[in-house]
Amino acid sequence: MNITIESSKLVKPTYNNGNNAPSTNHHVRLSVFDKVTYNIHDGAAIHAFNPPTRSNSDIEKGLSKVLLEYREWAGRLGEDEEGNSIIFLNDQGVRFVEATSDSKLRNVLPSKPTKEIQSLYPSLDGVQELLQVQLTRFACGSLVVAITFHHQIADGQATGNFLAAWGLATRDLPIDSTPLCTRSTLFQPRDPPLIQYDHHKIEYMNKMYPKHTINSDHESNEEEIVIQKVHFTNEFINKLRAKASTGVPKHFTRFEVILAHLWRVITKARGLHNHETTQIRISVNGRKRMDPQVPNEYFGNLVLWAFPRSKVKDLINRPLRYAAELIHDEVAKVNDMYFKSFIDFASSDIIKKEGLVSTAVMNKKILSPDLEVDSWLTFRYFDMDFGSGSPYYFMPTYYATEGMLFILPSYLGDGSIDAFVPLLNDNLDTFNMCCYSLD
């Protein structure tokens, strides 16, 4: 994929009247949910748009306008005098890269994430910006928009809302939902605190805990990992739901049965021993789980994790319902009481006294026998519209981490679902043989 960088600049919020510009000396503290999540800056999804599209200048102006509401993206991370992690609201700007290609997009865009798509993203070398954008124009007139961002600023829900708002601003339309930027004050501990759950080795762990242990028979390099795209039709999903939900009062969700199915298939493909334990790290959005509910417009992170686990022999030999129930029950436990217990725990001095660090790290190439999954099924990524309609193609970035799954709505828009599954080459044949089987 031959990509030429044409320009790179910083885009800052544009205020209609300089006298109304807010101070650039303020800052906001990161919340307990911001601090526990992945402390990394990396790529998100790519969005491909059919021609004709708005000009780069129009899209840049839209970004400048939407940053009035989402100022934190234009700031920088740092610490205050007390050592607290903060976002400086200094309006230093978002990196905006313009690029071109002499190829037709359909000739070079792979159907699944590969190393080649990394050229569609801004470079991460020495990045200080909290958000970066690259617009790549192709010879056919198609436009690809790719972003990178720092995960401590926003979760998937918040980022999807921002992308939808950026499209509206580009079209000179009012933002349909103003972001709720209250991360510094919204999640206060109770008085007295009530830590009802053990958060050690769940959200936090001791610094001496072996973080780079690989629980598989061999290590691997990136060249041995391939990302497989799996397309689940509505018909297949309905058959999975019917099979898993036999004898239960309420059908399992589409997410629960797809993940249960993939968990079993990947475990078979890995050839794990019967006595081994396998688990999934599942991101759980707290907005609708807390009481009172947090509005969907909340901008920041509000995610904890569920960890269903099973012996390999039980997962493979017992019916699909068993895996779906494990997933359902563990996610259900991450409820209002759990979120509030975590707030009390993370707001205390326990983390500092015991030298704890977050378990949300990405330092493994192989997660086997475990999995991690991010579901984008409810996010607003397809609402990103610069004036020519929603993206006609949508794909996560290239994560060469075996066992790191992404589940998202298909770009076909018919309710079907795509899963992106990184596997070792040696496991690919067995996975493909089992993936569309209902047995």
Side-chain angles (χ1 to χ4, degrees):
M1 193 179 297
N2 184 25
I3 304 295
T4 301
I5 302 299
E6 305 291 349
S7 71
S8 178
K9 66 181 79 170
L10 289 174
V11 174
K12 304 179 179 183
T14 299
Y15 302 100
N16 294 328
N17 185 331
N19 294 329
N20 295 329
S23 170
T24 56
N25 295 321
H26 293 163
H27 64 261
V28 294
R29 286 188 181 184
L30 296 185
S31 76
V32 292
F33 298 105
D34 299 326
K35 289 186 284 189
V36 77
T37 197
Y38 297 93
N39 184 13
I40 56 172
H41 186 131
D42 62 9
I46 62 170
H47 305 73
F49 297 88
N50 278 317
T53 59
R54 291 290 184 100
S55 67
N56 287 4
S57 177
D58 286 344
I59 297 173
E60 178 186 343
K61 289 177 183 175
L63 178 60
S64 181
K65 285 193 288 185
V66 80
L67 288 176
L68 295 175
E69 302 289 347
Y70 290 88
R71 281 189 74 203
E72 287 153 319
W73 282 131
R76 297 292 183 267
L77 284 172
E79 292 185 350
D80 61 17
E81 295 177 352
E82 300 174 2
N84 297 302
S85 297
I86 62 172
I87 305 170
F88 289 106
L89 300 179
N90 51 22
D91 290 345
Q92 288 193 8
V94 167
R95 178 64 55 186
F96 187 85
V97 179
E98 297 174 275
T100 58
S101 172
D102 56 7
S103 302
K104 293 182 178 179
L105 183 58
R106 66 174 178 269
N107 294 337
V108 295
L109 184 65
S111 61
K112 54 189 178 183
T114 64
K115 273 187 175 181
E116 286 69 32
I117 69 170
Q118 292 176 323
S119 61
L120 296 171
Y121 290 87
S123 171
L124 295 175
D125 292 342
V127 60
Q128 297 296 318
E129 297 85 1
L130 304 181
L131 174 69
Q132 299 188 118
V133 176
Q134 181 169 317
L135 275 55
T136 305
R137 300 275 176 179
F138 287 81
C140 56
S142 295
L143 169 67
V144 168
V145 179
I147 70 167
T148 74
F149 70 101
H150 201 289
H151 284 252
Q152 288 189 318
I153 306 304
D155 58 18
Q157 173 89 52
T159 303
N161 291 345
F162 162 76
L163 295 176
W166 181 14
L168 290 169
T170 300
R171 290 181 284 153
D172 293 319
L173 297 175
I175 296 175
D176 54 4
S177 55
T178 302
L180 180 65
C181 300
T182 55
R183 72 177 76 218
S184 291
T185 58
L186 188 58
F187 306 112
Q188 297 299 317
R190 293 169 288 190
D191 186 14
L194 181 59
I195 302 173
Q196 297 170 278
Y197 301 89
D198 183 5
H199 299 279
H200 290 80
K201 295 185 181 179
I202 304 298
E203 292 87 18
Y204 279 95
M205 62 185 175
N206 191 285
K207 286 182 181 179
M208 301 304 294
Y209 189 74
K211 295 190 293 182
H212 197 67
T213 300
I214 296 180
N215 299 315
S216 64
D217 291 338
H218 66 284
E219 295 190 16
S220 176
N221 57 44
E222 191 172 312
E223 285 67 32
E224 294 177 329
I225 298 171
V226 60
I227 300 176
Q228 188 73 344
K229 178 183 176 181
V230 184
H231 179 72
F232 294 113
T233 64
N234 281 313
E235 180 183 8
F236 185 81
I237 296 169
N238 289 336
K239 288 179 179 178
L240 279 180
R241 293 186 74 190
K243 181 177 182 180
S245 302
T246 301
V248 298
K250 183 179 179 181
H251 276 208
F252 293 109
T253 67
R254 289 153 60 88
F255 169 74
E256 288 166 347
V257 297
I258 287 174
L259 182 55
H261 176 67
L262 286 172
W263 191 11
R264 299 174 82 234
V265 170
I266 293 170
T267 300
K268 291 176 185 177
R270 284 168 164 172
L272 300 175
H273 300 298
N274 282 338
H275 67 271
E276 289 187 80
T277 298
T278 171
Q279 72 172 17
I280 316 176
R281 185 184 184 106
I282 304 174
S283 299
V284 180
N285 187 341
R287 287 169 176 79
K288 293 189 181 302
R289 294 176 179 272
M290 297 191 69
D291 185 15
Q293 291 187 3
V294 177
N296 283 333
E297 294 76 22
Y298 172 72
F299 184 70
N301 286 282
L302 187 41
V303 168
L304 292 177
W305 299 274
F307 293 90
R309 55 179 54 86
S310 171
K311 290 291 185 182
V312 167
K313 64 178 180 180
D314 293 328
L315 185 67
I316 292 177
N317 295 327
R318 298 181 68 173
L320 179 65
R321 172 180 168 179
Y322 168 75
E325 282 181 334
L326 288 176
I327 293 166
H328 174 85
D329 292 348
E330 289 303 312
V331 170
K333 291 177 183 177
V334 189
N335 55 18
D336 175 66
M337 290 190 297
Y338 191 89
F339 272 92
K340 288 177 178 173
S341 174
F342 172 78
I343 292 171
D344 291 349
F345 173 84
S347 301
S348 71
D349 60 358
I350 296 174
I351 295 172
K352 185 175 181 180
K353 277 186 175 180
E354 298 186 12
L356 303 179
V357 294
S358 172
T359 60
V361 291
M362 297 183 70
N363 56 6
K364 297 180 181 179
K365 282 297 180 186
I366 298 181
L367 300 184
S368 181
D370 300 332
L371 297 173
E372 183 162 346
V373 61
D374 273 343
S375 170
W376 297 357
L377 294 176
T378 60
F379 299 159
R380 300 185 61 190
Y381 291 109
F382 282 102
D383 290 344
M384 187 182 188
D385 179 2
F386 295 120
S388 60
S390 299
Y392 76 87
Y393 193 75
F394 174 78
M395 182 168 62
T397 192
Y398 175 69
Y399 282 105
T401 300
E402 187 269 357
M404 180 72 190
L405 314 183
F406 290 88
I407 298 176
L408 54 154
S410 170
Y411 65 90
L412 296 175
D414 60 355
S416 57
I417 290 175
D418 291 332
F420 294 85
V421 184
L423 297 161
L424 290 177
N425 265 316
D426 292 345
N427 300 335
L428 192 56
D429 288 344
T430 304
F431 176 84
N432 289 334
M433 184 172 61
C434 300
C435 189
Y436 294 111
S437 171
L438 292 170
D439 296 332

